[in-house]
Amino acid sequence: MYVKDPKGNTAAAQEFELAVGDTVSLAGSQIAVKAGGTYTLSIRLEDDRLEFLSLEEGDTRNGQLSKARSGMNPFFWVVIAALFLGVCGSGAWVYMKGKKPDKKNR
């Protein structure tokens, strides 16, 4: 694995062995995964060294996004929906009132 700077020069490099098998593990520069799986590999770049920190099954980035979304207050969305329906209802009422013939002008 190579890390390059903006000019294209190699800033750091780390060799690793990727093995497909029945287990998921990270031992130094040896990474073992199951065929067809999705994995998240955490890497630290320090000076000119790459270090593999952890290997997790699944896409942990999606999990972090889900946690952020689940933190939203549902009451907020209920209020937004009520306001939206109120504006739409008022607009429809004003539109319909304007389309009816006025009985006073006859």
Side-chain angles (χ1 to χ4, degrees):
M1 178 178 295
Y2 295 96
V3 176
K4 297 199 174 205
D5 66 15
K7 295 178 182 177
N9 301 318
T10 300
Q14 174 70 35
E15 290 186 15
F16 66 95
E17 178 183 331
L18 182 62
V20 177
D22 296 329
T23 61
V24 175
S25 65
L26 172 64
S29 61
Q30 294 180 334
I31 302 169
V33 295
K34 296 176 186 174
T38 302
Y39 304 93
T40 301
L41 177 63
S42 297
I43 302 170
R44 177 186 310 157
L45 172 62
E46 193 170 308
D47 298 321
D48 61 347
R49 278 189 31 231
L50 280 175
E51 180 183 1
F52 299 130
L53 301 176
S54 65
L55 176 67
E56 299 178 54
E57 283 193 74
D59 186 350
T60 59
R61 295 172 304 148
N62 287 339
Q64 291 168 351
L65 292 174
S66 297
K67 287 178 189 174
R69 287 188 196 120
S70 67
M72 293 179 160
N73 188 348
F75 179 73
F76 171 77
W77 294 111
V78 170
V79 170
I80 294 296
L83 289 172
F84 176 75
L85 291 174
V87 168
C88 289
S90 298
W93 180 75
V94 168
Y95 177 76
M96 294 304 288
K97 185 170 172 109
K99 293 215 36 131
K100 290 183 182 177
D102 194 4
K103 293 180 183 177
K104 294 179 187 176
N105 292 336
R106 288 187 181 189

